[in-house]
Amino acid sequence: AQTVTQSQPEMSVQEAETVTLSCTYDTSENNYYLFWYKQPPSRQMILVIRQEAYKQQNATENRFSVNFQKAAKSFSLKISDSQLGDTAMYFCARKAGGTSYGKLTFGQGTILTVHP
Amino acid sequence: NAGVMQNPRHLVRRRGQEARLRCSPMKGHSHVYWYRQLPEEGLKFMVYLQKENIIDESGMPKERFSAEFPKEGPSILRIQQVVRGDSAAYFCASSARTGTADNSPLHFGNGTRLTVT
């Protein structure tokens, strides 16, 4: 089975500081897509950032950026200038390429707490 | 533009009863997915449907679970004779068919939390 692993069950950070959440995955494909989703206590799943494996440039979205290491099969999320509203569960997910539908494989999640 | 709408938000059923979960995709989306999230776990894919067709049900339990997406109306996930192990949050997501469909993001609903007593 092709898996996604988040090795940090919980992380905490002080407001305005930077935190990095790690994610590794297993795949035999060359083309695929990676995502980070945020799930606050409201339970809503919110797309934070996405990366296409064939693109070498790391994706960025405002305070969120990724460090995509294709050879190492690593896809970490960096949150800069952390805010209280960033407190949530964060899920890393992978989607196979070559298919046109959203069958995602999710990691177990990392609970992030931002302290004032 | 309303997002993915799921109802009910919370559903309580006794063991042996039936649970029906509803999902209305975003306007213009014809692809619907159901995921299940057990406590303290990530989401697990269950089934992918297009209008009137089940495309991939590889994540559905073999018994008691079924899904449909009729020509008119919402998608329904149906669980017959529920057991305590069915207690979970069930999420629906939808996506649009685009020219670069591989990176079309999924838009998730807020989920239905099913509790079986």
Side-chain angles (χ1 to χ4, degrees):
Chain A
Q2 301 198 349
T3 58
V4 176
T5 302
Q6 294 177 248
S7 58
Q8 305 153 316
E10 295 186 41
M11 292 282 284
S12 63
V13 65
Q14 291 294 126
E15 198 174 6
E17 298 289 307
T18 295
V19 64
T20 299
L21 309 183
S22 63
C23 172
T24 57
Y25 56 91
D26 179 27
T27 184
S28 56
E29 297 169 323
N30 190 49
N31 186 29
Y32 49 90
Y33 303 86
L34 298 165
F35 306 85
W36 278 97
Y37 279 88
K38 168 185 177 182
Q39 187 179 45
S42 66
R43 213 170 61 216
Q44 184 183 6
M45 290 290 287
I46 303 165
L47 177 65
V48 175
I49 199 166
R50 56 183 165 172
Q51 174 82 41
E52 295 157 352
Y54 63 86
K55 289 187 177 179
Q56 292 187 337
Q57 187 174 7
N58 288 326
T60 62
E61 287 287 340
N62 301 314
R63 298 183 294 107
F64 299 88
S65 62
V66 299
N67 182 5
F68 174 47
Q69 301 288 329
K70 190 172 182 178
K73 297 179 182 175
S74 170
F75 182 60
S76 60
L77 174 70
K78 185 171 85 171
I79 306 174
S80 304
D81 186 26
S82 297
Q83 300 176 359
L84 296 178
D86 295 333
T87 292
M89 175 84 91
Y90 286 80
F91 291 100
C92 177
R94 186 190 68 81
K95 183 162 80 102
T99 60
S100 60
Y101 60 92
K103 186 176 181 179
L104 299 178
T105 300
F106 284 86
Q108 311 92 310
T110 296
I111 299 172
L112 175 66
T113 303
V114 180
H115 297 286
Chain B
N1 184 15
V4 178
M5 303 300 292
Q6 287 188 252
N7 67 81
R9 184 97 165 115
H10 301 277
L11 181 62
V12 179
R13 286 288 179 265
R14 291 197 179 95
R15 278 179 297 170
Q17 291 184 317
E18 178 180 288
R20 292 170 70 89
L21 288 61
R22 294 174 182 78
C23 169
S24 295
M26 283 184 71
K27 187 176 181 180
H29 286 190
S30 59
H31 302 237
V32 166
Y33 316 81
W34 285 94
Y35 284 80
R36 177 165 64 174
Q37 184 179 27
L38 294 171
E40 310 302 325
E41 293 188 14
L43 281 69
K44 298 280 197 299
F45 170 82
M46 298 181 76
V47 63
Y48 161 53
L49 310 101
Q50 294 181 20
K51 284 285 188 181
E52 300 185 278
N53 287 301
I54 296 173
I55 308 301
D56 182 348
E57 55 181 349
S58 58
M60 288 279 270
K62 299 297 182 200
E63 298 176 347
R64 302 187 296 108
F65 284 71
S66 62
E68 63 177 10
F69 188 18
K71 187 176 181 181
E72 301 292 336
S75 175
I76 305 288
L77 178 67
R78 183 181 175 206
I79 312 172
Q80 295 178 292
Q81 299 175 334
V82 295
V83 301
R84 288 220 171 106
D86 297 332
S87 294
Y90 291 82
F91 286 89
C92 172
S94 71
S95 69
R97 187 184 184 100
T98 68
T100 53
D102 277 350
N103 67 349
S104 298
L106 293 189
H107 297 267
F108 282 86
N110 287 350
T112 293
R113 183 174 295 282
L114 172 66
T115 302
V116 179
T117 60

